[in-house]
Amino acid sequence: MKLPKIDWKKIDGLVPAIVQDASTRQVLMLGYMNEAALKKTLASKKVTFFSRSKQRLWTKGESSKNFLRVVSVEVDCDNDTLLVLAHPAGPTCHRGTVSCFGDGALAGGAGFLAHLDQVVAARIKSGDKSSYTVRLVQEGVARCAQKVGEEGVETALAAMQKDNKEFAGEAADLLYHLIVLLHAKKRTLGDAIAVLEKRHAPKK
């Protein structure tokens, strides 16, 4: 990754760095970087800040091991604020919450689908048979595919009715079961999104 062009003099050598989950776009935390912290972040691929209280570089997760693994770093139009996309290795906040803004700060809209994708993956990994998701996956790919087919038909039928609330519910069931099928096939929602992104990428 290239070092962004930063106006370091504007804020006495420190710039705010907003960190978002690269998958869900949930805001995880805000920290400050000086030039050395930014260079270390880009070199190590782990988010590193300048701690104003400790007066030294501080890599998020150096004690907890809940690192923030860097995907990209962008600078804003005024060259004085950074936006960091990263994959969190665990809770970001020292209080144990996903975000320093609390667990209630989940990304909405399409970002919630990425969160649901993570929840499905975690439940499958747990192997807890009290979970419908776990039981469905353990029944095999064919059963998961059958459920997607059933939910697809039910969504199509609901679309032909006037009850939009029921239609939205069936569409939600379809999306959920499609995510489960992706994981049953050892894939994720991100794999499907990557195909869509490639299809809609600007032609060179």
Side-chain angles (χ1 to χ4, degrees):
M1 280 182 261
K2 294 183 180 180
L3 188 68
K5 184 179 180 181
I6 305 293
D7 188 350
W8 295 107
K9 296 180 181 179
K10 186 180 289 187
I11 316 180
D12 297 326
L14 287 178
V15 296
I18 302 164
V19 184
Q20 282 184 296
D21 186 306
S23 297
T24 67
R25 294 303 194 266
Q26 179 180 8
V27 176
L28 299 176
M29 68 176 298
L30 170 69
Y32 291 85
M33 293 186 184
N34 59 9
E35 190 168 4
L38 178 56
K39 286 181 177 179
K40 185 173 181 180
T41 293
L42 297 176
S44 68
K45 300 295 178 65
K46 295 177 182 177
V47 176
T48 299
F49 299 107
F50 178 79
S51 172
R52 293 171 295 171
S53 59
K54 300 176 182 177
Q55 288 294 298
R56 66 171 178 84
L57 296 187
W58 166 65
T59 298
K60 178 69 179 106
E62 63 184 27
S63 299
S64 66
K65 305 305 178 185
N66 294 333
F67 296 107
L68 294 169
R69 303 193 181 278
V70 179
V71 173
S72 66
V73 178
E74 302 290 340
V75 65
D76 76 338
C77 58
D78 292 324
N79 298 320
D80 60 5
T81 302
L82 295 170
L83 177 63
V84 182
L85 298 184
H87 290 304
T92 297
C93 185
H94 67 282
R95 294 181 177 179
T97 55
V98 173
S99 165
C100 288
F101 298 95
D103 283 334
L106 287 176
F112 180 77
L113 287 177
H115 172 69
L116 179 60
D117 186 66
Q118 294 173 351
V119 170
V120 168
R123 287 184 181 173
I124 293 172
K125 185 177 180 180
S126 75
D128 183 359
K129 291 187 178 181
S130 66
S131 165
Y132 168 75
T133 300
V134 172
R135 296 197 305 272
L136 183 57
V137 170
Q138 289 180 345
E139 289 181 27
V141 171
R143 176 56 178 156
C144 293
Q146 180 185 8
K147 287 297 296 181
V148 169
E150 291 173 358
E151 297 298 342
V153 170
E154 290 177 8
T155 300
L157 291 174
M160 303 306 295
Q161 307 302 316
K162 294 182 179 181
D163 189 343
N164 285 328
K165 183 176 181 181
E166 180 181 354
F167 171 59
E170 294 295 350
D173 290 343
L174 176 58
L175 287 169
Y176 160 74
H177 284 92
L178 179 57
I179 290 173
V180 173
L181 177 58
L182 282 164
H183 283 275
K185 289 286 294 180
K186 308 301 181 185
R187 294 294 181 265
T188 69
L189 183 62
D191 293 310
I193 291 174
V195 174
L196 290 173
E197 289 175 336
K198 186 176 180 180
R199 288 177 182 174
H200 291 270
K203 294 182 179 179
K204 296 181 181 179

